[in-house]
Amino acid sequence: MSKTVGIPKGLLYYDFYPMWKTFFEGVGAKVVVSQDTNKKILDEGVKNCVEDACLPVKTYVGHVINLKEKNVDYIFIPRIVSVERKKYLCSKFLGLPDFIKSLIGDLPPIIDIEINYYKNNDEFTQKEFIKVGRMFGKTEDQSLKAYFEATHQQKKFESLLKKGLTNLEALKVWEGKNLVKEESNYDLKIAVIAHPYDIMDEYISMGIIEKLKNMGAQVYTMEMLERDLILEGASMLSKEMFWNYERDILGAGLYFLKQKNVDGVIMVSAFGCGPNSMTEELLERIFKREKEVPFMLITIDEHSGEDGIMTRLEAFTDLLRFNKKAVMV
Amino acid sequence: MKITYPHMGSLNMILKTMFEGIGVEVIDPPPSTNKTLTLGVRNSHEFACLPFKINVGNFIEALDRGADTIIMLGGIGPCRFGYYGQVQREILKDLGYDFKMIIVDPPHGRLIDFLKELASHFPNVDGKTALKSFVFAVKKMIAADKLEKFLLKLRAHEDNPGVTTKIYEEYIKKLEKAQDGKEVDKIVSEAMKKIKENANVRRKIQLKVALVGEIYMLLEPFTNMDISKSLNELGVEVTKTEYLSDYLINSAFKLPQRMEFKKNARGYLERDIGGHGLNTVANTVKYAKLKYDGVIHILPFTCTPEIVAQGIIAKVSRDYNIPVMSLVYDENTGQAGYQTRLEAFVDLLYRKRLDVVV
């Protein structure tokens, strides 16, 4: 019987699941994903995590516990240091496997390979994946083959994002599921800028994206933008951000501000998010100075109420529609 | 050009010595007070960390006093500190200040690169004078840190409460004004002698606590509400684990310290995660092995590397059976609340020792 590998449905799951899944299946493992976030998962996460950790990390802890309860043979918690040359990820990703191991006892073996493209060579990360392959009794060639297939699938997934699908929708399409057909009578265009792990988890974000769609807004996320557009936006700053996702947030925000191709921008971040305290501050100030595109910040945490979010979204969409009418008259 | 910089432990003494040595006018930011903090909090993002907010407060106060150039460190991550200067500049701009901000991106470990980078902003200064004033500044820093290390141990034994602190403050002021190396040496030895004369209390059970955590919080007594003093007054010897001079000495003579951190943290945290997360874990292990009675971890609210470390040192605490307490500071922290927690913690350490004795 093939071994099972658990992948927690949190943090960078929404960005890299196709790659990870393809690789593990390529080396003969069976992939088990934790459940969608629910009250139990979040409660377990909050209970077992450090109080000051951000919401997505607490949720992630809950997902790891969920996998532990499913008795998987391994849990995949990679140490993702960098996914782009000369760019880091937030500190929590650098210490994630160590952190999780310290928090939760009696875990099955953790696959904690290091994913690190800081020096821009694929070789380091390939070697790490070969190590994983060896755990499943695969030779170097077999692992490499699985790795290349995995990166191929990842590219396929990313091209779906660029077609205007959100990460969640793209994951569905990639897995061969059909999307629910949307009515397309949107009269607003809203950019939602955030880490995918904050807005793609429908439980912790309280379905912000769905809600906006129901209010008649077409939603754009930063993953839908082509890389050069983001870089174009980011180039307006005097020093480029050293975290690639924060660079993307700033770049996407500034791009939308410059192009004015959306009616409004909403930035969503988790309570106590360190990196976002920098990007929010900058974006908010720049948007205020320009006074061209309305900008709203939403902070989510484990105590956020759905009604509060609903009211703010309604107020924001009302304001955008009001703006539009004012322009027409 | 009137230069200013943020407060950070003995850093202001050093920078002042250095810039005055090369003939640049310096405007010291006034000592950090609640007003500084309020100014910072009002103009910063709510989740920016306490050091960021105090920096902003320092800058505003110094600019109000006539400074026109700010020196700030930069960085390349993953700690967000590397982007502070960029964000702070925008904040101050929006407040309507007219100033120049020099953001010096630090070297990757090598001191000489840092100095070269800094020097490039002062083209008219002759290299020899600059180097001389830098060396003297470093000497002062080492002296100040040496004195503080001594203080944190001996103050726990003082006969007359409060006297040691007064002696220390008096001599630190003298040190700031010192003009040459000989004078610095004399001040330090005199201060140490005086402190020693006033430290004769001996206890059957002498507690020792290590302070670990984020460097700014450890270096700035204002931000940590002078936690070492509170502990000393409870009769506890304190070892602070971060000193600027340690970094300077270590970055000048290659990096044995980094290797030591990695070695100590092995099994708990396998790589540098930015900020001082690795140091916190390594130091906790180190002082647990040295049989200290307890470890106090101090961090600013929302500091990601320290939050990761906080989760990990809880396991170190279990494995080595050493009490560890994390204290998170932000602008709403009350002195009385933390004093109570410190007292409870010290009581716990004391009882733990009693159990062993019995």
Side-chain angles (χ1 to χ4, degrees):
Chain A
M1 210 185 86
S2 57
K3 297 266 189 190
T4 51
V5 174
I7 297 183
K9 207 173 207 173
L11 295 179
L12 295 187
Y13 161 88
Y14 299 100
D15 299 84
F16 291 107
Y17 177 65
M19 176 171 182
W20 299 340
K21 183 176 190 230
T22 313
F23 176 78
F24 282 114
E25 290 183 346
V27 294
K30 191 169 163 269
V31 171
V32 177
V33 181
S34 56
Q35 281 173 319
D36 285 343
T37 312
N38 54 35
K39 187 168 186 313
K40 184 176 171 272
I41 286 182
L42 183 56
D43 284 351
E44 285 283 338
V46 170
K47 205 170 84 191
N48 287 287
C49 193
V50 176
E51 181 193 343
D52 289 320
C54 61
L55 182 62
V57 167
K58 288 175 180 168
T59 316
Y60 191 83
V61 171
H63 282 284
V64 174
I65 293 173
N66 182 260
L67 287 171
K68 182 180 145 188
E69 285 163 358
K70 287 187 173 185
N71 290 322
V72 290
D73 296 313
Y74 298 95
I75 299 182
F76 182 56
I77 306 178
R79 184 191 307 280
I80 307 175
V81 176
S82 163
V83 295
E84 197 184 315
R85 192 179 115 83
K86 292 279 174 201
K87 298 279 172 224
Y88 282 114
L89 261 67
C90 168
S91 291
K92 61 178 180 279
F93 291 105
L94 275 59
L96 192 63
D98 301 314
F99 185 60
I100 299 288
K101 279 187 234 169
S102 299
L103 291 176
I104 311 169
D106 304 321
L107 282 174
I110 303 289
I111 300 179
D112 60 352
I113 55 167
E114 181 168 326
I115 295 178
N116 191 344
Y117 294 97
Y118 194 81
K119 291 189 177 131
N120 198 26
N121 59 2
D122 218 18
E123 269 169 45
F124 177 85
T125 308
Q126 277 174 22
K127 276 189 192 137
E128 293 287 299
F129 275 100
I130 290 170
K131 258 192 237 167
V132 181
R134 215 171 289 139
M135 293 167 78
F136 295 93
K138 297 289 176 230
T139 63
E140 196 174 313
D141 286 348
Q142 286 168 318
S143 300
L144 272 182
K145 200 172 148 238
Y147 174 80
F148 289 124
E149 175 60 20
T151 49
H152 173 66
Q153 290 297 332
Q154 180 66 20
K155 286 207 181 96
K156 232 164 105 183
F157 163 74
E158 280 167 12
S159 70
L160 290 170
L161 294 174
K162 304 296 176 224
K163 278 183 192 149
L165 299 183
T166 66
N167 293 46
L168 266 189
E169 290 165 343
L171 281 176
K172 270 189 193 150
V173 172
W174 179 79
E175 287 188 309
K177 288 178 202 151
N178 286 327
L179 289 180
V180 185
K181 198 137 172 50
E182 294 171 13
E183 329 130 45
S184 45
N185 51 350
Y186 298 130
D187 64 330
L188 286 178
K189 289 178 178 171
I190 295 181
V192 179
I193 302 181
H195 288 286
Y197 49 76
D198 284 335
I199 48 171
M200 290 302 144
D201 186 327
E202 286 176 319
Y203 186 80
I204 63 172
S205 74
M206 283 160 295
I208 285 181
I209 291 187
E210 275 311 299
K211 286 195 170 78
L212 282 172
K213 281 184 179 167
N214 291 337
M215 290 175 194
Q218 190 172 359
V219 174
Y220 296 89
T221 65
M222 62 185 194
E223 285 73 29
M224 297 174 191
L225 292 182
E226 292 289 345
R227 198 181 133 83
D228 48 339
L229 299 181
I230 286 183
L231 292 180
E232 184 192 320
S235 69
M236 287 176 230
L237 293 165
S238 58
K239 175 183 175 181
E240 210 181 81
M241 202 54 152
F242 41 72
W243 300 300
N244 64 306
Y245 290 116
E246 265 60 30
R247 191 267 328 273
D248 291 356
I249 286 177
L250 286 174
L254 294 174
Y255 166 78
F256 286 124
L257 178 66
K258 191 178 166 200
Q259 298 294 327
K260 298 180 195 55
N261 48 5
V262 290
D263 300 304
V265 174
I266 299 177
M267 184 164 173
V268 182
S269 68
F271 180 83
C273 176
N276 275 3
S277 70
M278 299 288 108
T279 51
E280 276 180 25
E281 180 82 51
L282 275 179
L283 277 186
E284 196 179 8
R285 281 179 189 277
I286 297 170
F287 270 79
K288 260 189 196 162
R289 278 184 210 157
E290 303 272 327
K291 295 195 181 71
E292 299 273 4
V293 181
F295 181 77
M296 177 168 76
L297 290 175
I298 290 183
T299 306
I300 51 170
D301 71 5
E302 58 266 40
H303 311 295
S304 301
E306 196 157 0
D307 297 339
I309 300 265
M310 197 69 187
T311 311
R312 295 196 61 194
L313 293 180
E314 277 170 359
F316 192 67
T317 47
D318 281 353
L319 173 116
L320 297 184
R321 291 204 171 93
F322 183 79
N323 265 354
K324 271 196 154 179
K325 268 186 204 152
V327 172
M328 267 194 257
V329 175
Chain B
M1 187 198 271
K2 292 173 187 168
I3 282 194
T4 192
Y5 34 75
H7 274 300
M8 181 162 166
S10 50
L11 188 68
N12 64 331
M13 183 201 293
I14 312 321
L15 289 176
K16 198 175 172 151
T17 308
M18 200 168 119
F19 285 117
E20 283 178 352
I22 58 174
V24 177
E25 192 181 341
V26 172
I27 300 219
D28 249 341
S32 302
T33 58
N34 281 332
K35 190 181 154 234
T36 317
L37 182 56
T38 310
L39 282 172
V41 168
R42 195 182 296 150
N43 295 299
S44 313
H45 190 275
E46 113 187 74
F47 300 136
C49 67
L50 199 54
F52 181 97
K53 293 170 183 170
I54 293 175
N55 284 173
V56 171
N58 286 154
F59 292 154
I60 293 176
E61 287 184 324
L63 289 172
D64 284 343
R65 289 189 166 198
D68 59 11
T69 305
I70 295 173
I71 300 263
M72 181 70 187
L73 278 180
I76 52 154
C79 171
R80 60 182 151 161
F81 175 77
Y83 217 69
Y84 275 13
Q86 313 289 329
V87 178
Q88 285 161 343
R89 180 163 55 201
E90 300 304 312
I91 293 176
L92 296 172
K93 244 197 238 166
D94 278 354
L95 285 172
Y97 288 104
D98 185 23
F99 62 99
K100 190 180 160 202
M101 195 151 186
I102 298 177
I103 301 172
V104 191
D105 275 311
H108 223 65
R110 280 183 58 203
L111 192 63
I112 191 78
D113 296 335
F114 169 73
L115 291 175
K116 269 188 197 151
E117 165 82 29
L118 188 62
S120 68
H121 293 283
F122 301 94
N124 302 328
V125 175
D126 132 66
K128 219 170 166 186
T129 329
L131 192 68
K132 214 175 124 200
S133 47
F134 175 74
V135 170
F136 182 52
V138 170
K139 188 171 168 66
K140 267 192 189 179
M141 178 194 277
I142 293 172
D145 286 352
K146 190 177 163 194
L147 201 55
E148 193 186 345
K149 283 180 195 173
F150 193 72
L151 170 82
L152 296 188
K153 239 190 192 136
L154 273 281
R155 190 163 50 186
H157 301 279
E158 66 180 347
D159 304 312
N160 298 314
V163 174
T164 319
T165 311
K166 268 192 198 135
I167 299 172
Y168 172 72
E169 279 166 1
E170 183 195 328
Y171 278 88
I172 283 290
K173 272 202 192 108
K174 281 190 185 169
L175 199 56
E176 271 172 42
K177 291 193 191 107
Q179 293 298 328
D180 57 55
K182 239 188 194 160
E183 204 183 332
V184 168
D185 290 337
K186 207 179 121 218
I187 290 169
V188 171
S189 62
E190 229 179 86
M192 284 169 99
K193 202 174 137 230
K194 272 203 172 171
I195 290 176
K196 217 173 171 183
E197 278 167 8
N198 185 44
N200 299 307
V201 176
R202 295 287 172 271
R203 298 177 186 82
K204 221 184 229 165
I205 295 177
Q206 180 57 53
L207 297 176
K208 278 196 288 187
V209 164
L211 283 182
V212 305
E214 199 278 327
I215 184 164
Y216 187 90
M217 299 300 297
L218 284 171
L219 291 184
E220 265 294 297
F222 171 73
T223 55
N224 64 37
M225 297 180 220
D226 216 344
I227 186 174
S228 354
K229 189 170 164 230
S230 306
L231 284 168
N232 282 156
E233 282 168 0
L234 292 168
V236 180
E237 283 183 8
V238 175
T239 304
K240 216 169 75 173
T241 52
E242 305 264 352
Y243 285 95
L244 278 180
S245 58
D246 292 352
Y247 281 94
L248 274 180
I249 295 167
N250 280 301
S251 59
F253 304 108
K254 276 292 167 201
L255 302 160
Q257 198 189 18
R258 269 228 95 56
M259 302 309 288
E260 194 200 323
F261 283 145
K262 280 201 169 150
K263 202 178 109 221
N264 278 329
R266 199 163 293 152
Y268 290 101
L269 181 59
E270 307 299 341
R271 70 162 284 130
D272 189 1
I273 56 168
H276 287 77
L278 181 70
N279 307 19
T280 297
V281 175
N283 282 323
T284 306
V285 174
K286 180 178 163 190
Y287 288 98
K289 280 184 182 159
L290 287 173
K291 300 272 181 246
Y292 268 53
D293 295 287
V295 173
I296 296 181
H297 173 217
I298 63 181
L299 64 150
F301 179 57
T302 73
C303 175
T304 316
E306 293 297 333
I307 288 170
V308 173
Q310 188 186 349
I312 294 172
I313 60 176
K315 184 159 190 288
V316 178
S317 166
R318 290 196 295 276
D319 290 355
Y320 285 88
N321 188 27
I322 179 172
V324 173
M325 174 165 75
S326 290
L327 294 177
V328 184
Y329 289 82
D330 69 3
E331 60 269 22
N332 301 316
T333 306
Q335 166 115 45
Y338 274 16
Q339 182 66 27
T340 312
R341 290 191 65 186
L342 286 181
E343 283 169 19
F345 188 69
V346 171
D347 272 356
L348 178 134
L349 300 184
Y350 192 70
R351 272 164 193 275
K352 192 164 168 269
R353 280 278 282 275
L354 273 181
D355 288 347
V356 177
V357 175
V358 174

